[in-house]
């Protein structure tokens, strides 16, 4: 049989073409695998910058929400006490809620009860009708303070608005009584004893109640 010289050439060409196709397929698979790896990296590693970039926003929001409201800040400015003020007077707060202490004078209204010291203070909210007058005195014995409290509370006229015990650290240290002003239903007066000190506050009822319920002593 005669030889066919073209046959070997065709077989060699086919083999070469198949090899090239396999290399292309392998290269494509490798390229796809590389893309998958890059996608995974971008999903699990790169997004960390986004988390960090969001943190300041979260902190800013928390900071803004944690700032105290200025709605209850006093419009009036507290008047400083003199350097010679007693420890009792220094214990009186500069501000109580929306009220600021604008006056503090010595007084002698209860002098017949011989207190150690006695004062008359004015706290103002800076609003019309928003002043509260606070009268206080201290004795050396709680029994003397209670005697003054009993005398004052018994003499109060008007409708009773509130009453109860005064507590300090869970211990009852006195009592309080609030009554409406007998001459003006819009005004009220409250008196309370806390151990050796007696307080009496009076003013417009709304302002008075906001004041004494926030008073720390």
């Amino acid at each position: 049989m005669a030889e066919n010289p073209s046959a070997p050439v065709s077989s060699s060409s086919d083999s070469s073409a198949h090899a090239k196709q396999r290399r292309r397929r392998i290269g494509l698979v490798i390229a796809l695998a590389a893309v998958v790896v890059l996608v995974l990296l971008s999903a699990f590693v790169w997004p960390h910058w986004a988390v960090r970039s969001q943190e300041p926003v979260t902190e800013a929001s928390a900071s803004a929400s944690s700032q105290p409201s200025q709605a209850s800040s006093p419009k009036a400015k507290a008047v400083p006490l003199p350097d010679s003020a007693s420890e009792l007077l220094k214990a009186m707060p500069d501000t109580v809620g929306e009220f600021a202490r604008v006056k503090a004078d010595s007084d002698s209204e209860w002098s017949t009860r011989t207190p150690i010291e006695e004062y008359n203070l004015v706290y103002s909210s800076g609003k019309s009708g928003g002043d509260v007058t606070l009268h206080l005195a201290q004795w050396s014995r709680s029994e003397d303070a209670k005697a003054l409290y009993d005398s004052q509370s018994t003499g109060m006229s008007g409708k009773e608005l509130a009453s109860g015990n005064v507590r300090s650290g869970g211990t009852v240290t006195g009592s309080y009584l609030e009554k409406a002003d007998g001459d003006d239903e819009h005004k009220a007066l409250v008196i309370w004893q806390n151990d050796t000190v007696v307080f009496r506050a009076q003013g417009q009822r709304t302002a008075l109640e906001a004041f004494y319920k926030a008073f720390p002593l």
Side-chain angles (χ1 to χ4, degrees):
M1 187 172 81
E3 293 181 357
N4 184 359
S6 62
V9 174
S10 176
S11 176
S12 176
S13 297
D14 290 343
S15 298
S16 177
H18 287 312
K20 287 181 180 180
Q21 289 178 357
R22 282 197 301 272
R23 285 196 296 270
R24 287 174 183 171
R25 285 196 295 269
I26 293 171
L28 181 60
V29 169
I30 293 173
L32 289 174
V35 170
V36 171
V37 170
L38 290 175
V39 170
L40 291 174
L41 286 173
S42 65
F44 292 101
V45 178
W46 295 347
H48 284 303
W49 74 269
V51 173
R52 288 195 295 270
S53 70
Q54 291 172 1
E55 286 175 355
V57 176
T58 303
E59 290 172 359
S61 300
S63 176
S65 63
S66 63
Q67 291 180 354
S69 172
Q70 299 299 315
S72 62
S73 298
K75 293 184 178 180
K77 185 177 180 180
V79 176
L81 295 172
D83 294 336
S84 59
S86 69
E87 292 303 313
L88 174 62
L89 194 54
K90 288 179 180 178
M92 297 303 105
D94 291 341
T95 60
V96 179
E98 63 176 349
F99 301 88
R101 188 195 59 244
V102 297
K103 187 177 181 181
D105 296 322
S106 296
D107 207 287
S108 59
E109 180 182 343
W110 298 334
S111 60
T112 58
R113 295 281 182 168
T114 61
I116 298 172
E117 50 189 317
E118 182 177 359
Y119 302 98
N120 199 61
L121 283 63
V122 176
Y123 283 84
S124 176
S125 65
K127 304 174 184 177
S128 177
D131 288 1
V132 173
T133 300
L134 178 68
H135 196 88
L136 66 139
Q138 184 175 33
W139 286 260
S140 58
R141 302 188 311 160
S142 59
E143 292 85 354
D144 294 331
K146 186 178 186 306
L148 184 280
Y149 169 82
D150 290 341
S151 174
Q152 289 286 306
S153 59
T154 301
M156 289 169 61
S157 61
K159 178 183 177 181
E160 180 176 322
L161 302 174
S163 63
N165 293 325
V166 173
R167 295 178 180 274
S168 178
T171 302
V172 175
T173 55
S175 305
Y176 76 94
L177 174 65
E178 180 191 1
K179 284 193 173 185
D181 189 313
D183 299 323
D184 187 342
E185 62 179 5
H186 298 295
K187 293 182 179 180
L189 182 150
V190 60
I191 186 168
W192 70 96
Q193 175 205 354
N194 187 347
D195 197 14
T196 60
V197 184
V198 175
F199 301 87
R200 184 189 67 199
Q202 56 193 85
Q204 294 288 344
R205 180 178 174 180
T206 301
L208 175 69
E209 291 182 346
F211 173 81
Y212 89 79
K213 289 177 181 179
F215 195 77
L217 302 175

